[in-house]
Amino acid sequence: MPSRKSSRNHNDYPASTSSRGYSNGGYTYPIVPGQPMHYGSYNPYGTADRRRFTRDGLYNYDPYRRGEYAQGQPGPGAGPGAGGPGPGVEDKWRNTYPYVPTSYYYHSPPPRPPPESLDLETEGGEEERENWGSKWEFIFSCVGLSVGIGNVWRFPTLAYENGGGSFLIPYFILLIFVGKPMYYMELALGQFAQRGPVSIWKMCPLMQGVGIAQCVVSCIVAIYYNVIMAYCLFYIFSSFAAEVPWSKCSKEWGYSANIASDERCYEWSKDEPNATCAAADGTCQSSAKQYYDKVVLGIDKAFLSPTAELTDGEIKITNETYALTELGNIGDIKWDITLCLLLSWMVVFACLVKGIKSSGKVVYFTATFPYLLLIILLVYGCTLDGALEGVKELFIPKTWSGPKSIQDPQVWRKAAEQMFFSLSVSWGGLIMFGSYNKFHHKVHVTATVISSLDFVTSIIAGVVIFSILGALSKETGIPLDKIVEGGQGLAFIAYPTALARLPVPQVWAIMFFFMLFLLGLDSEFALLETVLTAFYDAIPSLKRFKPVITFLLCLSCFLISLPCMSYSGAFVFQIMDDYGGGMSVMWIAIFEVIGIMWFYGANNFGKDLNFMLNISMDGCWAWFRHYFMVVLWTIIPIILIIILGVSLSAWEQPLYAKTIQYPDWIHGVGYFLILIAVAQIPIWGLFMTLYYLCAPSKKIADVIRPTPEWGPGDKHARKKYQASRAARHKGHLHGYENPAMAYPYYNYAGYHSYHM
């Protein structure tokens, strides 16, 4: 018969049926005659030698007892001075380290499920996390997240506004030394722990606010990101006409044919290859530009205030123009573009309502189709007369010093912001996508390929835009840097201009803007799924109400985005993009990498990834690769702090189209958008510090250390991970002390009181 042993705290057995001895809830401690009140071990099998123990003695006492209780206890009939029987069996295993305490219930043991059926993260187990249907769903979803409107719309715009080649060089440098390592870090982190961006911070509770800040930024960006998608739908519906409306200057634009172009408008289409402008002051605008401003945005009807200054008793009007000067005066809401926005949110809701598996199927098409049209436009753009001059503008810096040069800190800040925006780093979406992945997926290969593909896509989109701008510049004689004013509408000016010159432009326009809509749809999935995953991780019961939660989130974002549909919507959009989606991410990225690489430790993080990917440290190359990434991850916060600090020292408030300014209170709203996200980090850091300072079972130093719940999200890998970590610190372990052993320890009485 197997022996039964007690555990360390002697609180594992049910209450004894013996009436003799001292009871302490768990079981009876028998009283040793002639000794102080010590305790022994209750013997449920009654293996004590009844011939040697009388009824008044130790009837229930077990030879599995401690040595100090056995020594000096004479047996019945023994002569004076006779010693006791010596150490019992208990002494043999208890004095042998490591011992193997194995507790069992004696009275009515409850049924125990096999340990494999329970998740070791909780006592009762938790619901299995969803996984991608295949690795290709994961890859295409990451492609759809990283390769989006930010590449086709935002990258060419920032390159155009910041010196072309002077912007591309910092962007490439930051991509290699910051973007790619952080992209790999976030995907691998989510895959390792299989948690969302908030609960991932069990690795360092002090930085809990980083995950919440990422969800806030994702929500802000999702609000105005869908505005771009609404523009795409508007262009799609407008293309169902005898000719695309932006190809010619017209007096009958719009649904009611009541919007007209002005004298500055010129045409440049396949029917009018030679663009001419009749404006007296020489400030010409293409028909695509005026269509975007007047029909899509309605910005010509926005309330603008020229500034006035008092000089020598006379009031003079200056050339500076301000927008959004009156609180609440943003003009009418445009009903046509608002309906497009509503339709866009309905599509997003329909794709997200069933969770990650439904959106995972959609990306097979949405992530691949755009490349077909981009390559067609690339070939067409490069064949235009004057395209070479535009492409040179993208790749060759015009100047190496001064504003809009490689020495301008604002250019480096814009490059860093675009790198984060394009790769979707520090938004939480990559962590969320990785958390739904298989534990042993070769994520380092996926991260390298996708981050490289993202850069290639940005270059393709940039070449398309700059080739078209170069051709426009040559046709009109207008310098390339003045061909358009810039702003978020650059993609809605250059692309439509090129499409209008293609055969059957209606078909090409519909396909192109449908492509843009699909690119935005992929990124919108990730932004909203990041927020939803944070809710589900914090309150798992909400998973049963996915349709309701998704509907409420989409409805809230739609209502908040309505000001972007007004006549002043372009100004509101720019403030949200420059502050909420630009500067905020820089701050979050700095704290994110500090929490992971400085507090948790870059070397510890690298070892976790080696364990997950089954990467051996044998060999010089493996050693070099590991510590190269460790050093690179460690210095990334320093690089970002330098860029942010220098750029803030020369901070310039953003302008719309280089001419229209904003009042100070509007910039205050922008700072609030930064604060509402970034402030989550110190607020939650202070809260966690106070919690660890005041909780009796916590130590203040533990606020920067991983919690006991931290580790691989895969339950089988978690056992091996705990065993390997314990072995590194304590040597080889056996039995109960070995976390890899399949003991259902969470059902033992007294387990929690001992391990707290």
Side-chain angles (χ1 to χ4, degrees):
M1 179 176 296
S3 62
R4 302 289 184 181
K5 304 129 185 167
S6 63
S7 68
R8 298 182 191 177
N9 62 354
H10 296 275
N11 195 27
D12 292 337
Y13 296 119
S16 171
T17 54
S18 172
S19 60
R20 290 175 172 83
Y22 168 70
S23 176
N24 188 22
Y27 63 96
T28 299
Y29 298 92
I31 299 175
V32 182
Q35 296 290 336
M37 185 175 290
H38 297 300
Y39 57 87
S41 297
Y42 173 65
N43 177 20
Y45 287 97
T47 54
D49 190 351
R50 300 188 182 186
R51 294 173 299 176
R52 300 186 60 191
F53 296 93
T54 64
R55 195 72 177 172
D56 296 328
L58 298 177
Y59 181 81
N60 275 336
Y61 194 70
D62 187 14
Y64 294 98
R65 61 193 179 280
R66 296 196 174 189
E68 63 265 29
Y69 305 146
Q71 296 293 340
Q73 293 293 336
V89 180
E90 180 182 10
D91 304 289
K92 296 180 180 180
W93 65 264
R94 188 172 290 280
N95 294 326
T96 302
Y97 183 84
Y99 57 86
V100 190
T102 310
S103 299
Y104 299 90
Y105 281 101
Y106 176 61
H107 293 288
S108 303
R112 295 173 180 168
E116 290 77 9
S117 66
L118 296 176
D119 192 337
L120 299 183
E121 287 186 359
T122 60
E123 294 179 22
E126 63 181 22
E127 184 180 346
E128 286 286 343
R129 193 174 189 83
E130 281 186 288
N131 288 121
W132 299 103
S134 69
K135 67 177 182 179
W136 291 109
E137 285 187 15
F138 167 68
I139 293 173
F140 283 133
S141 294
C142 291
V143 170
L145 169 62
S146 298
V147 181
I149 294 181
N151 302 82
V152 181
W153 151 67
R154 205 171 190 268
F155 175 84
T157 300
L158 289 176
Y160 181 78
E161 294 176 344
N162 293 277
S166 300
F167 174 83
L168 184 61
I169 294 175
Y171 180 81
F172 180 74
I173 294 174
L174 292 174
L175 177 70
I176 296 297
F177 294 102
V178 178
K180 282 178 171 290
M182 289 190 65
Y183 192 90
Y184 171 42
M185 175 194 76
E186 291 199 353
L187 276 183
L189 183 62
Q191 179 175 309
F192 177 80
Q194 296 187 351
R195 297 175 182 270
V198 176
S199 56
I200 201 76
W201 289 103
K202 293 183 183 296
M203 68 187 307
C204 180
L206 182 66
M207 292 295 175
Q208 184 83 18
V210 172
I212 299 175
Q214 288 176 336
C215 292
V216 173
V217 168
S218 294
C219 193
I220 293 174
V221 175
I223 291 171
Y224 72 80
Y225 211 83
N226 225 340
V227 173
I228 296 293
M229 296 166 61
Y231 295 163
C232 296
L233 291 177
F234 186 88
Y235 272 90
I236 291 174
F237 298 141
S238 300
S239 299
F240 289 94
E243 62 179 3
V244 288
W246 58 85
S247 63
K248 293 184 178 181
C249 301
S250 174
K251 302 295 183 181
E252 298 178 347
W253 275 336
Y255 178 78
S256 302
N258 58 350
I259 302 175
S261 59
D262 55 33
E263 69 279 359
R264 297 178 299 167
C265 180
Y266 67 87
E267 300 174 2
W268 191 63
S269 63
K270 59 185 176 64
D271 298 328
E272 294 288 340
N274 297 318
T276 57
C277 174
D281 57 359
T283 57
C284 302
Q285 294 179 339
S286 66
S287 56
K289 164 67 175 173
Q290 291 212 353
Y291 182 84
Y292 176 73
D293 285 344
K294 295 175 177 291
V295 181
V296 180
L297 300 181
I299 199 171
D300 59 314
K301 300 178 183 177
F303 178 76
L304 300 177
S305 299
T307 57
E309 60 181 13
L310 182 64
T311 305
D312 297 331
E314 296 182 1
I315 298 178
K316 295 182 179 180
I317 303 298
T318 65
N319 293 326
E320 296 178 347
T321 303
Y322 282 79
L324 301 175
T325 54
E326 295 184 7
L327 181 63
N329 187 3
I330 60 175
D332 297 339
I333 301 294
K334 295 179 82 278
W335 66 268
D336 48 1
I337 199 72
T338 301
L339 291 179
C340 294
L341 179 67
L342 178 61
L343 177 60
S344 179
W345 277 111
M346 291 172 64
V347 173
V348 171
F349 168 74
C351 294
L352 283 177
V353 68
K354 290 189 177 180
I356 199 70
K357 288 189 178 295
S358 62
S359 61
K361 297 293 187 293
V362 177
V363 295
Y364 278 114
F365 177 74
T366 60
T368 55
F369 174 72
Y371 284 98
L372 174 63
L373 292 179
L374 277 180
I375 293 175
I376 292 174
L377 289 175
L378 174 66
V379 174
Y380 170 75
C382 291
T383 59
L384 294 174
D385 188 21
L388 182 60
E389 295 301 319
V391 174
K392 287 182 179 179
E393 185 82 10
L394 175 63
F395 288 99
I396 302 176
K398 299 174 76 173
T399 178
W400 295 91
S401 61
K404 310 303 179 184
S405 71
I406 196 173
Q407 296 184 17
D408 187 354
Q410 298 300 327
V411 173
W412 284 83
R413 179 179 67 84
K414 289 289 185 179
E417 291 177 0
Q418 172 58 23
M419 183 262 299
F420 288 126
F421 193 98
S422 179
L423 289 175
S424 299
V425 172
S426 297
W427 286 8
L430 293 175
I431 296 177
M432 181 271 300
F433 273 174
S435 70
Y436 293 112
N437 206 10
K438 301 292 185 180
F439 184 76
H440 291 294
H441 175 75
K442 301 300 181 183
V443 67
H444 56 305
V445 178
T446 304
T448 303
V449 172
I450 296 176
S451 57
S452 301
L453 183 63
D454 174 84
F455 177 70
V456 172
T457 307
S458 297
I459 294 298
I460 293 175
V463 170
V464 172
I465 290 285
F466 277 80
S467 63
I468 297 172
L469 294 178
L472 277 174
S473 177
K474 185 171 182 178
E475 290 284 347
T476 60
I478 302 174
L480 191 142
D481 59 344
K482 296 180 180 179
I483 198 72
V484 292
E485 288 86 353
Q488 73 267 17
L490 178 61
F492 293 97
I493 298 169
Y495 287 122
T497 301
L499 294 170
R501 295 174 61 92
L502 292 173
V504 195
Q506 297 90 335
V507 176
W508 291 104
I510 291 171
M511 289 195 300
F512 175 78
F513 287 109
F514 182 60
M515 174 205 74
L516 276 186
F517 180 79
L518 295 181
L519 287 174
L521 197 62
D522 292 335
S523 300
E524 195 74 15
F525 289 159
L527 293 171
L528 295 178
E529 194 69 45
T530 299
V531 180
L532 293 172
T533 300
F535 285 142
Y536 299 151
D537 285 348
I539 311 175
S541 60
L542 291 179
K543 293 181 180 180
R544 296 177 302 197
F545 309 100
K546 279 185 179 181
V548 177
I549 301 300
T550 305
F551 173 77
L552 292 177
L553 179 62
C554 292
L555 178 62
S556 301
C557 292
F558 167 72
L559 295 176
I560 296 174
S561 62
L562 284 179
C564 294
M565 300 292 101
S566 66
Y567 292 146
S568 300
F571 307 134
V572 178
F573 181 98
Q574 186 187 19
I575 294 299
M576 295 182 69
D577 183 42
D578 284 354
Y579 289 98
M583 183 69 74
S584 300
V585 181
M586 285 283 290
W587 286 97
I588 294 173
I590 291 172
F591 285 104
E592 178 188 23
V593 185
I594 287 176
I596 298 173
M597 301 305 168
W598 290 8
F599 291 164
Y600 181 72
N603 192 37
N604 291 334
F605 182 74
K607 290 179 179 178
D608 290 346
L609 301 192
N610 291 340
F611 169 81
M612 179 179 69
L613 302 174
N614 295 320
I615 296 177
S616 173
M617 287 292 291
D618 298 335
C620 296
W621 170 245
W623 185 90
F624 171 79
R625 179 181 56 198
H626 172 82
Y627 284 101
F628 175 79
M629 292 302 300
V630 167
V631 172
L632 192 58
W633 277 325
T634 304
I635 66 175
I636 283 177
I638 301 175
I639 297 174
L640 296 179
I641 290 172
I642 292 174
I643 293 174
L644 182 61
V646 174
S647 64
L648 288 179
S649 65
W651 170 255
E652 297 178 358
Q653 293 179 338
L655 307 177
Y656 182 84
K658 302 179 183 179
T659 57
I660 300 178
Q661 303 187 41
Y662 300 106
D664 291 338
W665 73 271
I666 288 294
H667 294 292
V669 173
Y671 297 140
F672 175 75
L673 290 178
I674 298 176
L675 190 63
I676 198 176
V678 179
Q680 304 295 330
I681 301 174
I683 290 175
W684 284 91
L686 177 62
F687 173 77
M688 298 303 296
T689 301
L690 293 176
Y691 170 71
Y692 274 77
L693 184 64
C694 300
S697 59
K698 305 291 185 181
K699 297 180 180 178
I700 185 63
D702 293 338
V703 75
I704 59 173
R705 297 172 182 167
T707 66
E709 294 83 5
W710 169 252
D714 183 84
K715 58 189 177 185
H716 301 293
R718 187 179 182 86
K719 298 175 186 177
K720 298 179 182 178
Y721 176 79
Q722 291 175 330
S724 64
R725 286 180 62 90
R728 286 201 302 266
H729 294 88
K730 298 182 180 180
H732 189 62
L733 302 177
H734 304 274
Y736 176 78
E737 295 290 345
N738 187 348
M741 298 297 290
Y743 289 116
Y745 52 85
Y746 30 73
N747 281 333
Y748 292 172
Y751 169 78
H752 298 286
S753 63
Y754 174 74
H755 287 274
M756 288 299 291

mmCIF file of all heavy atoms in Angstrom, residues 599-620:
data_model
loop_
_atom_site.group_PDB
_atom_site.id
_atom_site.type_symbol
_atom_site.label_atom_id
_atom_site.label_comp_id
_atom_site.label_asym_id
_atom_site.label_seq_id
_atom_site.Cartn_x
_atom_site.Cartn_y
_atom_site.Cartn_z
ATOM 1 N N PHE A 599 12.632 47.302 -17.543
ATOM 2 C CA PHE A 599 12.117 46.750 -16.288
ATOM 3 C C PHE A 599 12.070 45.216 -16.326
ATOM 4 O O PHE A 599 12.625 44.561 -15.450
ATOM 5 C CB PHE A 599 10.742 47.326 -15.978
ATOM 6 C CG PHE A 599 10.767 48.783 -15.611
ATOM 7 C CD1 PHE A 599 9.612 49.550 -15.626
ATOM 8 C CD2 PHE A 599 11.948 49.408 -15.253
ATOM 9 C CE1 PHE A 599 9.628 50.886 -15.292
ATOM 10 C CE2 PHE A 599 11.989 50.746 -14.910
ATOM 11 C CZ PHE A 599 10.824 51.494 -14.933
ATOM 12 N N TYR A 600 11.374 44.680 -17.313
ATOM 13 C CA TYR A 600 11.336 43.210 -17.419
ATOM 14 C C TYR A 600 12.701 42.658 -17.832
ATOM 15 O O TYR A 600 13.115 41.594 -17.369
ATOM 16 C CB TYR A 600 10.265 42.794 -18.415
ATOM 17 C CG TYR A 600 10.126 41.293 -18.576
ATOM 18 C CD1 TYR A 600 9.565 40.511 -17.566
ATOM 19 C CD2 TYR A 600 10.562 40.656 -19.732
ATOM 20 C CE1 TYR A 600 9.441 39.137 -17.708
ATOM 21 C CE2 TYR A 600 10.438 39.287 -19.891
ATOM 22 C CZ TYR A 600 9.882 38.532 -18.879
ATOM 23 O OH TYR A 600 9.773 37.169 -19.012
ATOM 24 N N GLY A 601 13.388 43.358 -18.684
ATOM 25 C CA GLY A 601 14.735 42.958 -19.087
ATOM 26 C C GLY A 601 14.784 42.461 -20.519
ATOM 27 O O GLY A 601 14.056 41.522 -20.880
ATOM 28 N N ALA A 602 15.623 43.101 -21.332
ATOM 29 C CA ALA A 602 15.747 42.683 -22.730
ATOM 30 C C ALA A 602 16.286 41.264 -22.834
ATOM 31 O O ALA A 602 15.876 40.495 -23.714
ATOM 32 C CB ALA A 602 16.654 43.656 -23.485
ATOM 33 N N ASN A 603 17.206 40.900 -21.939
ATOM 34 C CA ASN A 603 17.760 39.543 -21.986
ATOM 35 C C ASN A 603 16.706 38.511 -21.606
ATOM 36 O O ASN A 603 16.609 37.442 -22.238
ATOM 37 C CB ASN A 603 18.960 39.439 -21.051
ATOM 38 C CG ASN A 603 19.747 38.167 -21.259
ATOM 39 O OD1 ASN A 603 19.907 37.699 -22.378
ATOM 40 N ND2 ASN A 603 20.235 37.592 -20.170
ATOM 41 N N ASN A 604 15.896 38.810 -20.584
ATOM 42 C CA ASN A 604 14.818 37.892 -20.210
ATOM 43 C C ASN A 604 13.804 37.753 -21.346
ATOM 44 O O ASN A 604 13.319 36.649 -21.629
ATOM 45 C CB ASN A 604 14.104 38.400 -18.955
ATOM 46 C CG ASN A 604 14.976 38.313 -17.720
ATOM 47 O OD1 ASN A 604 15.876 37.477 -17.652
ATOM 48 N ND2 ASN A 604 14.736 39.177 -16.756
ATOM 49 N N PHE A 605 13.495 38.875 -21.982
ATOM 50 C CA PHE A 605 12.556 38.825 -23.098
ATOM 51 C C PHE A 605 13.117 37.992 -24.244
ATOM 52 O O PHE A 605 12.395 37.191 -24.860
ATOM 53 C CB PHE A 605 12.250 40.250 -23.576
ATOM 54 C CG PHE A 605 11.258 40.316 -24.691
ATOM 55 C CD1 PHE A 605 9.915 40.089 -24.460
ATOM 56 C CD2 PHE A 605 11.663 40.614 -25.983
ATOM 57 C CE1 PHE A 605 8.987 40.158 -25.484
ATOM 58 C CE2 PHE A 605 10.745 40.682 -27.014
ATOM 59 C CZ PHE A 605 9.410 40.451 -26.757
ATOM 60 N N GLY A 606 14.400 38.167 -24.536
ATOM 61 C CA GLY A 606 15.019 37.370 -25.591
ATOM 62 C C GLY A 606 15.004 35.885 -25.280
ATOM 63 O O GLY A 606 14.779 35.051 -26.162
ATOM 64 N N LYS A 607 15.231 35.529 -24.015
ATOM 65 C CA LYS A 607 15.186 34.111 -23.629
ATOM 66 C C LYS A 607 13.774 33.550 -23.755
ATOM 67 O O LYS A 607 13.591 32.383 -24.131
ATOM 68 C CB LYS A 607 15.695 33.955 -22.197
ATOM 69 C CG LYS A 607 17.196 34.205 -22.047
ATOM 70 C CD LYS A 607 17.639 34.052 -20.601
ATOM 71 C CE LYS A 607 19.143 34.284 -20.462
ATOM 72 N NZ LYS A 607 19.582 34.176 -19.049
ATOM 73 N N ASP A 608 12.770 34.368 -23.427
ATOM 74 C CA ASP A 608 11.390 33.915 -23.594
ATOM 75 C C ASP A 608 11.089 33.595 -25.060
ATOM 76 O O ASP A 608 10.442 32.591 -25.373
ATOM 77 C CB ASP A 608 10.421 34.984 -23.084
ATOM 78 C CG ASP A 608 10.446 35.125 -21.572
ATOM 79 O OD1 ASP A 608 11.004 34.236 -20.901
ATOM 80 O OD2 ASP A 608 9.926 36.138 -21.068
ATOM 81 N N LEU A 609 11.578 34.451 -25.948
ATOM 82 C CA LEU A 609 11.338 34.212 -27.369
ATOM 83 C C LEU A 609 12.115 32.999 -27.859
ATOM 84 O O LEU A 609 11.617 32.244 -28.710
ATOM 85 C CB LEU A 609 11.722 35.447 -28.186
ATOM 86 C CG LEU A 609 10.981 36.741 -27.844
ATOM 87 C CD1 LEU A 609 11.239 37.793 -28.915
ATOM 88 C CD2 LEU A 609 9.489 36.507 -27.696
ATOM 89 N N ASN A 610 13.324 32.806 -27.348
ATOM 90 C CA ASN A 610 14.078 31.606 -27.724
ATOM 91 C C ASN A 610 13.340 30.347 -27.292
ATOM 92 O O ASN A 610 13.321 29.340 -28.018
ATOM 93 C CB ASN A 610 15.469 31.639 -27.087
ATOM 94 C CG ASN A 610 16.350 32.715 -27.681
ATOM 95 O OD1 ASN A 610 16.102 33.190 -28.788
ATOM 96 N ND2 ASN A 610 17.379 33.112 -26.955
ATOM 97 N N PHE A 611 12.738 30.392 -26.106
ATOM 98 C CA PHE A 611 11.957 29.252 -25.633
ATOM 99 C C PHE A 611 10.741 29.017 -26.526
ATOM 100 O O PHE A 611 10.445 27.877 -26.907
ATOM 101 C CB PHE A 611 11.507 29.501 -24.192
ATOM 102 C CG PHE A 611 10.490 28.521 -23.680
ATOM 103 C CD1 PHE A 611 10.873 27.282 -23.212
ATOM 104 C CD2 PHE A 611 9.139 28.843 -23.681
ATOM 105 C CE1 PHE A 611 9.939 26.365 -22.748
ATOM 106 C CE2 PHE A 611 8.191 27.947 -23.224
ATOM 107 C CZ PHE A 611 8.596 26.703 -22.757
ATOM 108 N N MET A 612 10.046 30.086 -26.887
ATOM 109 C CA MET A 612 8.833 29.951 -27.700
ATOM 110 C C MET A 612 9.151 29.435 -29.095
ATOM 111 O O MET A 612 8.418 28.609 -29.646
ATOM 112 C CB MET A 612 8.132 31.308 -27.798
ATOM 113 C CG MET A 612 6.876 31.318 -28.643
ATOM 114 S SD MET A 612 6.076 32.937 -28.687
ATOM 115 C CE MET A 612 7.276 33.878 -29.634
ATOM 116 N N LEU A 613 10.256 29.889 -29.669
ATOM 117 C CA LEU A 613 10.603 29.539 -31.046
ATOM 118 C C LEU A 613 11.557 28.357 -31.132
ATOM 119 O O LEU A 613 11.996 28.008 -32.230
ATOM 120 C CB LEU A 613 11.228 30.756 -31.743
ATOM 121 C CG LEU A 613 10.346 32.010 -31.789
ATOM 122 C CD1 LEU A 613 11.127 33.183 -32.363
ATOM 123 C CD2 LEU A 613 9.096 31.748 -32.615
ATOM 124 N N ASN A 614 11.876 27.766 -29.974
ATOM 125 C CA ASN A 614 12.796 26.624 -29.924
ATOM 126 C C ASN A 614 14.140 26.971 -30.572
ATOM 127 O O ASN A 614 14.710 26.202 -31.349
ATOM 128 C CB ASN A 614 12.191 25.396 -30.617
ATOM 129 C CG ASN A 614 10.967 24.877 -29.897
ATOM 130 O OD1 ASN A 614 10.926 24.842 -28.666
ATOM 131 N ND2 ASN A 614 9.944 24.483 -30.647
ATOM 132 N N ILE A 615 14.652 28.145 -30.238
ATOM 133 C CA ILE A 615 15.935 28.602 -30.758
ATOM 134 C C ILE A 615 17.020 28.261 -29.747
ATOM 135 O O ILE A 615 16.945 28.651 -28.579
ATOM 136 C CB ILE A 615 15.919 30.110 -31.034
ATOM 137 C CG1 ILE A 615 14.903 30.426 -32.135
ATOM 138 C CG2 ILE A 615 17.300 30.606 -31.435
ATOM 139 C CD1 ILE A 615 14.764 31.908 -32.421
ATOM 140 N N SER A 616 18.023 27.530 -30.174
ATOM 141 C CA SER A 616 19.123 27.139 -29.306
ATOM 142 C C SER A 616 20.176 28.248 -29.269
ATOM 143 O O SER A 616 20.383 28.962 -30.260
ATOM 144 C CB SER A 616 19.757 25.832 -29.795
ATOM 145 O OG SER A 616 20.917 25.530 -29.048
ATOM 146 N N MET A 617 20.825 28.388 -28.134
ATOM 147 C CA MET A 617 21.892 29.376 -27.984
ATOM 148 C C MET A 617 23.260 28.797 -28.298
ATOM 149 O O MET A 617 24.282 29.450 -28.068
ATOM 150 C CB MET A 617 21.870 29.936 -26.559
ATOM 151 C CG MET A 617 20.722 30.879 -26.285
ATOM 152 S SD MET A 617 20.878 32.427 -27.189
ATOM 153 C CE MET A 617 22.279 33.148 -26.342
ATOM 154 N N ASP A 618 23.305 27.590 -28.816
ATOM 155 C CA ASP A 618 24.579 26.967 -29.161
ATOM 156 C C ASP A 618 25.131 27.599 -30.432
ATOM 157 O O ASP A 618 24.399 27.789 -31.415
ATOM 158 C CB ASP A 618 24.404 25.458 -29.363
ATOM 159 C CG ASP A 618 23.938 24.760 -28.092
ATOM 160 O OD1 ASP A 618 24.215 25.305 -27.006
ATOM 161 O OD2 ASP A 618 23.282 23.703 -28.192
ATOM 162 N N GLY A 619 26.397 27.894 -30.421
ATOM 163 C CA GLY A 619 27.034 28.447 -31.604
ATOM 164 C C GLY A 619 27.222 29.948 -31.510
ATOM 165 O O GLY A 619 26.458 30.657 -30.846
ATOM 166 N N CYS A 620 28.233 30.448 -32.180
ATOM 167 C CA CYS A 620 28.559 31.874 -32.140
ATOM 168 C C CYS A 620 27.483 32.718 -32.807
ATOM 169 O O CYS A 620 27.147 33.809 -32.335
ATOM 170 C CB CYS A 620 29.912 32.114 -32.819
ATOM 171 S SG CYS A 620 31.305 31.336 -31.975
#
